[in-house]
Amino acid sequence: MAEYKTPLRDMQFTMYELLDYEQHWQSLPKFEETGADIANAIMEENAKFCENVLAPLNQSGDAEGCQWNDGEVTTPKGFKEAYQQFVEAGWPSMTHSPDHGGQGLPPSLGLILNEMVGTANWSWGMYPGLSHGAMNTIEEHGTDEQKEVYLTKLVSGEWTGTMCLTEPHCGTDLGMLRTKAEPNADGSYAISGTKIFISAGEHDMAENIVHIVLARLPDAPEGTKGISLFIVPKFNVAEDGSIAERNGVVCGSIEHKMGIKASATCVMNFDGAKGFLIGPPNRGLNCMFTFMNTARLGTALQGVAHAELGFQKSLDYARDRLQMRSLSGVKNPDGPADPIIVHPDVRRMLLTQKSFAEGGRMLMAYCGKLVDVISNGDEESAKEADGKLAFLTPIAKAFLTEVGFESANHGVQCFGGHGFISEWGAEQNVRDCRISMLYEGTTGIQALDLLGRKVLMTQGEIMKPFTKEIHKFCQANEGNPLIAKLAEANKQWGDLTMKVGMAAMENPDEVGAASVDYLMFSGYVALAYFWALAAVKAQAALDEGQGDAAFYTAKVQTAKFYFARILPRTESLATTMTSGADSLMDMDAESFAF
Ligand SMILES: Cc1cc2nc3c(=O)[nH]c(=O)nc-3n(C[C@H](O)[C@H](O)[C@H](O)COP(=O)(O)OP(=O)(O)OC[C@H]3O[C@@H](n4cnc5c(N)ncnc54)[C@H](O)[C@@H]3O)c2cc1C
């Protein structure tokens, strides 16, 4: 069984047939030179690297884990060499600006490439993955000198980046963070404090690590309004750009954890480390949002990655494993039993995984287009795209990781008892996936962001461009039974928003009580839109006799499955989200113990 096979055909369907990427790229001056031929060649090359180099290191990396020794971290066998190959081939620079050594390709293409890397080996992908966020932050908020010194080295991949937010007493509530930044005479700052859970905080894959750190200036206001952002390199950088002496930041230990064991999760001790302010003082959290938004989309991809990997493993197994006979008569008369793929319940699990993996890919590719428009820079279209992306990011992050985890779990179930033992990798896929619902803002926090901060604060305005797009699509495709269901769900989305909003005006706890159900409802409807769109496009291709009928037929059938068996989950979510906060809030905190 192959460790990972890149779903290139499905990726290309999503990009070119579903979302018209070629026309989209040509409409943006910054990316007009990117055509399908270039993009496909890059994807094929990346697929080879992911399948042949990264995927074979996934299980061994999990078994070996990272080792800490006196402040140094050693990554599992093969990780460092794979990273060198990755850098030599120019992969880190793909989507970054040519001004800093990048290749200027569209971010949407970068997301597709990142899905491949992440599905082949999520732990390995964390090291270059964090660097992208650091690059985007320095590019957007750094000075020219900071770009010259740090960004170019990150873009080339010679150095990697981190995101240092979390402290022992604060993860979600960053307003409480205590790390200090004292001004030095030379204009730099002395950074002191402890950060925990820092991914890729220390490792042996690159010669320097650029930490992007949140800290407080002396006399900064309390809470989130008193946080500033700093660059703190592991090694200081000499005037000529070469590596100088070690800075005062050391990895105190690494965590022993449930999954992504090959990704070093570090305690980082800053002891008067030399740091450089990025962006205006006390506006660090705003600047950090650039990093966090990149990371949130990156984490949304993790949901797709584990759904895809779970699906691939389950499908291979379900075709091979012989157990029992089909209820409707023998399907494999020459064998002692039928393959388990004949059983309806196994098909339910496989199609759930397939519909989430491919549906999630569609949602991510749609978000990728929005990122391209924002990055292209035309102010008016960027503003519109920004609004849609702000609305869709918490949905993508939380919904896709929740259903990605469900899919990974189905992966274990499809294997029966063999799923529970480590040999097949199905249990690793569950363990590796579990973190995706926690970091970059837990599902609960994303749900509050969606419903409280975005939807209700704008009185629903933020959702309108997307729900209107669905409405228009439904009008243009009336008559199809899937479309009628989509139109109904889309209308219900608006009605429920009003209802929850009204309840929230009476009692603010109603927002928190409804938010996760609301977010999941939103995710199911958003995916229904993409599955309906896929069904329409695939049916048209079949009607036109374009060839590849098996592929298009499977698309239509998966869409039908999604509407019959997944979308109805919205009915129960609509009931629970409007059931009120009382059943959650009536009990005294003490009474929980009885
Ligand atoms: C493997 C790993 C890698 C990580 N990588 C990084 C990294 O690179 N950089 C970095 O800075 N951090 C990183 N983190 C930290 C991660 O982002 C935090 O763990 C996460 O944000 C949650 O914070 P916390 O653990 O302090 O949980 P808490 O904030 O203590 O939350 C505990 C629970 O309370 C809930 N909760 C809290 N407040 C509310 C509320 N207002 N309403 C509803 N529910 C609420 C949460 O949803 C959660 O269920 C990593 C963590 C892990 C485990």
Side-chain angles (χ1 to χ4, degrees), residues 482 531-532 534-535 554-564:
L482 301 188
W531 270 115
K555 271 278 170 260
V556 173
Q557 288 169 334
T558 311
K560 285 185 180 158
F561 165 83
Y562 185 87
F563 274 82

Side-chain angles (χ1 to χ4, degrees), residues 130 163-166 170-173 196-199 257 260 265 435 438-442 444-445 448:
L130 266 298
M163 171 169 84
C164 298
L165 284 69
T166 307
C170 71
T172 301
D173 195 351
I196 63 163
F197 294 165
I198 304 309
S199 300
K257 53 196 196 291
I260 57 163
T265 307
I435 184 62
L438 297 166
Y439 55 20
E440 297 319 324
T442 59
I445 295 307
L448 279 180

Side-chain angles (χ1 to χ4, degrees), residues 17-167:
E17 298 174 64
L18 190 89
L19 297 173
D20 217 353
Y21 261 39
E22 272 211 290
Q23 189 275 329
H24 154 75
W25 286 330
Q26 273 157 26
S27 73
L28 305 173
K30 199 167 167 186
F31 306 118
E32 65 189 355
E33 280 167 26
T34 311
D37 48 349
I38 297 177
N40 286 340
I42 293 173
M43 285 161 63
E44 278 161 29
E45 220 30 59
N46 192 52
K48 280 188 220 155
F49 176 71
C50 293
E51 290 170 10
N52 301 331
V53 179
L54 296 184
L57 297 174
N58 193 31
Q59 252 179 307
S60 58
D62 176 63
E64 196 182 331
C66 290
Q67 311 299 324
W68 180 92
N69 184 14
D70 199 16
E72 307 276 313
V73 172
T74 311
T75 53
K77 242 181 249 94
F79 269 47
K80 189 175 168 179
E81 292 73 16
Y83 187 73
Q84 271 159 7
Q85 256 182 279
F86 184 75
V87 170
E88 277 159 24
W91 292 113
S93 67
M94 282 288 150
T95 56
H96 294 281
S97 166
D99 297 344
H100 311 291
Q103 302 181 48
L105 286 158
S108 55
L109 181 58
L111 279 175
I112 302 276
L113 302 178
N114 290 348
E115 184 203 313
M116 297 183 197
V117 169
T119 315
N121 191 330
W122 188 266
S123 286
W124 186 92
M126 295 273 291
Y127 297 91
L130 266 298
S131 292
H132 285 298
M135 289 185 237
N136 292 345
T137 306
I138 298 175
E139 174 142 24
E140 201 165 316
H141 306 288
T143 62
D144 287 346
E145 192 192 340
Q146 288 169 345
K147 288 179 192 172
E148 183 54 37
V149 175
Y150 301 101
L151 185 56
T152 48
K153 294 285 191 185
L154 287 166
V155 169
S156 69
E158 287 162 90
W159 300 354
T160 62
T162 73
M163 171 169 84
C164 298
L165 284 69
T166 307
E167 298 183 5

Side-chain angles (χ1 to χ4, degrees), residues 415-429:
F415 277 80
H418 298 270
F420 195 69
I421 58 163
S422 41
E423 184 186 346
W424 296 93
E427 59 86 39
Q428 183 193 342
N429 197 40

